[in-house]
Amino acid sequence: MDTTTKRKIIIDCDPGHDDAIAILLAGANPNVEVIAITTVAGNAEVEKTTLNALKICELAGITQIPVAKGAGQPLIRERRTAPDIHGESGMDGPLLPYPSKKVENEHAVDLLIHKLMASAGDITLVPVGPLTNIAMAMRKEPAILPKIQEIVIMGGGTFGNTTPAAEFNIYVDAEAAKVVFESGVPITMMGLDLTHQAIVTDDIHERILAVDNHIAQFVHELLEFFAHTYKEVFGFAGAPIHDACCVAYCIDPTAFGTKKLRVDIETKGEHTYGMTVIDLLGVTGREPNVNVAFTLDQVKFWDMLIQTLKNYT
Ligand code: BDR
Ligand code: CA
């Protein structure tokens, strides 16, 4: 693909096993250009997620893309991490050397603002962790709003994985999610309804191993750790690589079936804090604000991942 038609993206992440796979998918696919990687507290403290992002970039030879450290706490709530799913480091399993790649001096929120303001309105934000940085950037510089082409979010769904109602990324900072979902910027949401279709079953795992390069080996090691809780606790056939779905959507939206619906974020409920309240039947009569993904073309998705992994030499 001609470089002029690449979709420009900024990945805001909390690596995170599936965040790592999202970065790797973006890093070697000809249809997207990663402008920057920003980090946030989520799966682990932001110091850890930032170190993990640098390690991933170094391993993948992603040397020119800036990595900026972002918010260490949600806007209002106490921080919550996910060592039960991702381990203490946020990316337990593979052992990677300490990276020589350095984090930017600029804070992630400022980097987001300056990249967007300098753009022609052609940058898509891909937040695959809690939405703290994105909300802070919107509040600090509202002039970025018309500059954002689209936000492709991993979060939410019609059910939860952290509470019965709430998915982890939205639950960790629902106030931030509320700011983003009410921003008026075009949003596509990859919730659990979608990402639980992106499960690395044994046959997919074998296809990844068969790629037989150092990145496929790294993905294999990530999956070995990440699949554990999903298999043992949730009874899944493997790990869902949630965050990779957002990058895949930027690469090829035709692999996804979506519906434009009204989605509001619950910030007050005793049992429903962090829920994405999706108006499936249109009962509110309110203007749809989110393109919600519900179906995944398995062939296109896995072929895209395998093909991209082969691009690492
Ligand atoms: C989301 O939470 C994190 O654990 C994953 O990285 C993903 O972004 C899934 O609920
Ligand atoms: Ca994540």
Side-chain angles (χ1 to χ4, degrees):
M1 177 177 274
D2 182 287
T3 49
T4 54
T5 60
K6 282 174 180 255
R7 187 164 179 174
K8 293 180 182 164
I9 65 172
I10 296 179
I11 302 178
D12 184 68
C13 57
D14 59 338
H17 298 71
D18 53 329
D19 305 71
I21 298 171
I23 292 170
L24 295 170
L25 179 58
N29 191 285
N31 290 12
V32 287
E33 178 187 356
V34 185
I35 301 297
I37 294 171
T38 52
T39 60
V40 68
N43 290 324
E45 294 78 2
V46 73
E47 291 73 20
K48 294 179 183 173
T49 61
T50 307
L51 179 61
N52 292 340
L54 292 168
K55 285 180 174 177
I56 297 159
C57 287
E58 187 126 319
L59 182 77
I62 303 171
T63 50
Q64 303 305 317
I65 297 170
V67 173
K69 185 172 97 171
Q73 297 277 355
L75 295 185
I76 294 174
R77 302 265 167 156
E78 289 303 311
R79 184 175 55 220
R80 174 177 171 140
T81 55
D84 49 330
I85 307 279
H86 296 273
E88 279 304 323
S89 71
M91 202 173 71
D92 276 12
L95 292 176
L96 295 182
Y98 199 85
S100 57
K101 182 172 170 64
K102 298 280 177 274
V103 69
E104 297 296 300
N105 290 327
E106 193 177 30
H107 191 277
V109 170
D110 295 315
L111 182 139
L112 282 164
I113 292 170
H114 110 235
K115 292 284 184 195
L116 286 163
M117 292 309 292
S119 78
D122 57 351
I123 294 178
T124 294
L125 302 183
V126 183
V128 293
L131 288 159
T132 319
N133 287 335
I134 311 298
M136 285 177 72
M138 287 177 167
R139 286 297 198 242
K140 185 169 183 183
E141 183 46 272
I144 65 171
L145 295 181
K147 289 284 200 173
I148 305 171
Q149 186 175 64
E150 186 177 1
I151 309 180
V152 182
I153 292 172
M154 192 284 129
T158 58
F159 58 93
N161 60 3
T162 301
T163 71
E167 180 279 330
F168 180 78
N169 289 341
I170 307 294
Y171 183 83
V172 168
D173 199 346
E175 284 75 16
K178 184 173 164 65
V179 169
V180 174
F181 278 68
E182 293 179 0
S183 67
V185 174
I187 293 175
T188 291
M189 176 179 133
M190 300 285 150
L192 297 176
D193 306 80
L194 185 286
T195 66
H196 281 186
Q197 296 168 50
I199 290 180
V200 182
T201 51
D202 290 346
D203 57 323
I204 299 292
H205 200 142
E206 275 166 31
R207 284 178 68 191
I208 291 169
L209 268 174
V211 172
D212 196 23
N213 61 25
H214 69 301
I215 295 298
Q217 176 62 29
F218 173 54
V219 172
H220 159 69
E221 290 170 18
L222 287 169
L223 291 169
E224 284 214 307
F225 185 92
F226 192 41
H228 181 76
T229 310
Y230 281 100
K231 283 183 171 172
E232 304 309 321
V233 180
F234 300 136
F236 283 27
I241 50 171
H242 310 274
D243 297 346
C245 297
C246 293
V247 172
Y249 181 82
C250 295
I251 292 169
D252 182 6
T254 70
F256 298 82
T258 62
K259 277 187 204 158
K260 196 88 197 283
L261 298 166
R262 181 75 213 176
V263 181
D264 289 297
I265 307 296
E266 177 59 78
T267 57
K268 297 191 174 72
E270 182 184 356
H271 300 291
T272 53
Y273 174 83
M275 180 179 182
T276 46
V277 181
I278 305 174
D279 186 5
L280 286 166
L281 299 181
V283 292
T284 62
R286 296 174 67 208
E287 195 61 31
N289 59 337
V290 178
N291 194 32
V292 185
F294 285 105
T295 58
L296 178 68
D297 183 324
Q298 297 283 333
V299 174
K300 282 187 180 175
F301 180 75
W302 295 115
D303 283 357
M304 179 198 302
L305 179 68
I306 304 294
Q307 198 49 51
T308 305
L309 291 179
K310 286 181 184 166
N311 291 341
Y312 287 98
T313 49

